[in-house]
Amino acid sequence: MPALSKSKNNTYRTLLLKKREELLARARSGPEALSVSVQSPDDMEFAVQTVEQDVNVTTASVRSRMLKQIDYALERVAGGTYGECQACGEQISPNRLKAVPWAEYCLTCEELRSRN
Ligand SMILES: [Zn+2]
């Protein structure tokens, strides 16, 4: 039995694709911003730049992890299992899906997992 109606699934699919676009757009602008700061290795600004680069690396890894989660969520939309908790199979609440459209687990399982 389909967990969510088709139109609901389309709404989440649109949300996921939009978020995916956002992340990819930021990924495209990322390396440029980085090379600009490397081109001016001013001693005075070096420390600041190092910190900025660290932040860029962090956001890049967070971004690629998020992209994977979004891709996985899109697969679940296509497969008709979107909105089901991957651990217990319960429905993830619509409020949670609206806030985190790529959520794989219901709030209960997410909390259990983050505790482990
Ligand atoms: Zn669960």
Side-chain angles (χ1 to χ4, degrees), residues 85 87-90 105-106 108-109:
C85 172
C88 68
E90 289 289 319
Y105 305 102
C106 69
T108 314
C109 293

Side-chain angles (χ1 to χ4, degrees), residues 7 16 24 33 49-50 53 60 80 82-83 91 109 113:
S7 65
L16 287 161
L24 289 174
Q49 282 167 11
T50 309
Q53 281 168 27
Y82 180 77
Q91 284 301 299
C109 293
R113 289 173 65 89

Side-chain angles (χ1 to χ4, degrees), residues 27-67:
R28 277 194 291 270
S29 65
E32 274 170 43
L34 195 67
S35 68
V36 166
S37 64
V38 171
Q39 271 166 20
S40 57
D42 225 27
D43 278 350
M44 208 170 66
E45 284 179 31
F46 186 73
V48 178
Q49 282 167 11
T50 309
V51 170
E52 276 172 8
Q53 281 168 27
D54 279 351
V55 170
N56 279 341
V57 168
T58 309
T59 51
S61 77
V62 166
R63 202 161 48 210
S64 74
R65 202 175 61 211
M66 239 169 147
L67 273 174

Side-chain angles (χ1 to χ4, degrees), residues 12-26 63 66-67 70 99-102:
Y12 289 123
R13 190 169 175 273
T14 309
L15 267 177
L16 287 161
L17 288 172
K18 215 173 116 195
K19 189 74 198 170
R20 197 171 181 279
E21 272 303 303
E22 266 177 46
L23 287 169
L24 289 174
R26 246 180 283 168
R63 202 161 48 210
M66 239 169 147
L67 273 174
I70 289 173
V100 191
W102 54 88

